[in-house]
Amino acid sequence: MKTWLLCISLLLSLQVDAQMVTTSGPLKVKQVTQFNGIPWGIALLSNKEAIVTIKKGEAYKVDLKNGAKHALSGLPKVDNRGQGGLFDVAKAPNFEQSKLLYFTYAKPTPKGATTTLARAKLVGNKLTNWQDIFISDAATKTNRHFGGRIAFDDAGHVFFTIGDRGIRKNAQDLTNDAGSILRLTLDGKVPADNPFINNSRVRNEIWSYGHRNPQGIYYDTKDHKLWSNEHGPRGGDEVNLIRRGANYGWPIVSHGKEYINNNPVGEAKEKDGIVKPLKVYIPSIAPSSLIRYRGNLFADWDGSFLSTALVLKHLNRIEMKDNNETKETRYLESLHERLRSMAESKDGALYIGTDSGKLLEVTPLQ
């Protein structure tokens, strides 16, 4: 038994070394506040204030300086069974004028819960005029793989992610929304220039498909590109550059293994006509949010991709050059926390939510 465990440990260490993984440098971590629940989404209203969603269906306005938090009223009923619940929150691009916040959540329906995009106006500690602006066609009786992350581009569109809802074939079936990234106008309509517009065999809101469970999405206003990360099965987590109308392969291709027998998933790791990931994590880290760092506080991090990780419990940094990974670094492993959500402030500080309910501020150790 000891020999077998040693062999497994050696194989895992060889995999990690091959991907140029290094351990963290020193970072300063400050606990801002504590929640009774999982802080799934973070929207920074300013360097002093944030909105934080809690998976079980609550949301709070948080003072980032003293940790005081105030519950928001006006939220809908959510299905928080399994991986369901209240998901992401994001400021509207014109938030300073409109005071609109966008949310995703698992909406209960007769066919099962489905990932839904909503918006509401923030008035003090109240959410008013709640509107479900897009109820996705992704309802199943399963309680997993909802996706739920939100991003805005700089041309009046909102993107949000939906997992395969635990039914693999959904991700290649374009008559439903599951396993896709959707692109809509800010009021929830289908843009006239979407890739599958007026195709009766494809849901017109689909921007990309073949996704298993995308848990992070980020639109980089500097290079005008959309990026996402997603969970693979037992290995094969991915970081992808999201292209218009593209197929990302699930479940036809995968770098992961089956949970029950360790066999490869799908037909191959790569296939013609399917976009290859820019980064694959073996073993899985279980990425849970994604940003591309553009601040000045971490002096040499500009352009790096940052993912929070659930299973391997760290902050993951990927340095890229010409869309090729040059280095991976792992931070905050000593916290032993499942890191769920993340946001970057205007001054470059990071705010991270943990599954134990903490909201953390992360800055360089001076």
Side-chain angles (χ1 to χ4, degrees):
M1 178 64 76
K2 290 183 179 179
T3 302
W4 180 80
L5 290 173
L6 181 61
C7 290
I8 293 295
S9 178
L10 179 59
L11 285 172
L12 289 177
S13 67
L14 287 173
Q15 286 180 313
V16 171
D17 288 343
Q19 296 181 67
M20 298 179 291
V21 176
T22 59
T23 308
S24 66
L27 299 177
K28 180 181 178 182
V29 180
K30 171 189 172 184
Q31 181 171 332
V32 176
T33 194
Q34 175 76 46
F35 298 99
N36 180 21
I38 297 171
W40 211 98
I42 305 169
L44 298 176
L45 304 184
S46 67
N47 286 342
K48 298 180 180 179
E49 201 168 43
I51 302 296
V52 178
T53 53
I54 306 300
K55 177 185 176 296
K56 62 183 177 181
E58 301 170 352
Y60 293 87
K61 183 187 289 183
V62 180
D63 187 316
L64 298 173
K65 302 306 176 183
N66 62 24
K69 52 187 186 290
H70 302 279
L72 300 185
S73 62
L75 288 158
K77 180 180 178 181
V78 306
D79 188 334
N80 70 343
R81 293 174 297 172
Q83 295 173 4
L86 180 60
F87 301 135
D88 213 359
V89 57
K91 292 191 307 183
N94 66 341
F95 175 79
E96 298 305 324
Q97 293 76 39
S98 70
K99 303 302 179 186
L100 287 175
L101 294 171
Y102 284 70
F103 298 85
T104 46
Y105 73 105
K107 181 180 179 68
T109 79
K111 294 182 179 179
T114 193
T115 308
T116 295
L117 179 70
R119 68 181 182 185
K121 186 175 183 179
L122 180 65
V123 180
N125 296 327
K126 297 180 180 179
L127 295 169
T128 65
N129 193 29
W130 182 279
Q131 297 175 292
D132 290 340
I133 62 173
F134 194 88
I135 303 170
S136 71
D137 181 11
T140 72
K141 295 299 184 180
T142 72
N143 57 14
R144 59 187 182 274
H145 296 184
F146 288 90
R149 291 291 177 196
I150 302 170
F152 298 97
D153 66 11
D154 48 9
H157 305 107
V158 56
F159 298 86
F160 73 105
T161 68
I162 306 176
D164 68 7
R165 296 304 329 286
I167 300 174
R168 291 181 177 182
K169 65 181 181 180
N170 275 346
Q172 295 294 323
D173 179 359
L174 302 190
T175 64
N176 70 77
D177 290 319
S180 302
I181 293 175
L182 307 189
R183 178 182 184 250
L184 302 168
T185 63
L186 297 183
D187 59 358
K189 303 296 191 297
V190 177
D193 60 346
N194 265 15
F196 302 109
I197 198 74
N198 298 326
N199 185 331
S200 61
R201 296 175 297 176
V202 180
R203 299 285 303 192
N204 292 173
E205 59 270 14
I206 292 175
W207 184 255
S208 65
Y209 63 100
H211 300 285
R212 182 173 181 264
N213 191 23
Q215 286 290 289
I217 190 169
Y218 184 81
Y219 183 83
D220 189 352
T221 56
K222 188 170 183 177
D223 67 7
H224 308 288
K225 292 178 180 177
L226 184 69
W227 305 84
S228 181
N229 62 24
E230 65 179 88
H231 289 193
R234 289 194 64 188
D237 298 342
E238 299 176 359
V239 176
N240 287 298
L241 172 59
I242 303 302
R243 297 186 173 96
R244 167 191 171 89
N247 183 0
Y248 289 81
W250 177 255
I252 299 170
V253 300
S254 175
H255 290 257
K257 304 281 189 179
E258 295 286 1
Y259 289 102
I260 57 174
N261 58 20
N262 209 39
N263 289 336
V265 175
E267 302 171 11
K269 293 180 179 179
E270 298 178 5
K271 193 172 182 179
D272 289 345
I274 291 174
V275 179
K276 293 188 294 186
L278 298 181
K279 166 70 178 176
V280 176
Y281 294 97
I282 302 174
S284 291
I285 67 169
S288 49
S289 60
L290 176 72
I291 67 170
R292 192 170 195 182
Y293 189 79
R294 291 301 188 185
N296 297 317
L297 199 57
F298 295 89
D300 57 349
W301 284 23
D302 183 56
S304 293
F305 289 94
L306 303 178
S307 296
T308 47
L310 296 169
V311 171
L312 293 194
K313 300 180 181 179
H314 69 276
L315 176 64
N316 191 273
R317 176 186 170 208
I318 299 296
E319 298 174 63
M320 291 269 192
K321 184 176 182 180
D322 300 325
N323 290 342
N324 292 305
E325 177 195 352
T326 60
K327 187 179 180 182
E328 179 186 353
T329 310
R330 299 185 176 188
Y331 302 88
L332 306 182
E333 292 172 302
S334 61
L335 296 180
H336 304 292
E337 292 271 10
R338 286 168 58 89
L339 306 183
R340 174 70 61 172
S341 48
M342 175 172 49
E344 178 190 335
S345 71
K346 290 181 179 179
D347 63 7
L350 299 176
Y351 288 90
I352 295 176
T354 76
D355 274 11
S356 65
K358 297 180 180 69
L359 179 64
L360 306 176
E361 179 189 68
V362 180
T363 54
L365 187 62
Q366 302 295 338

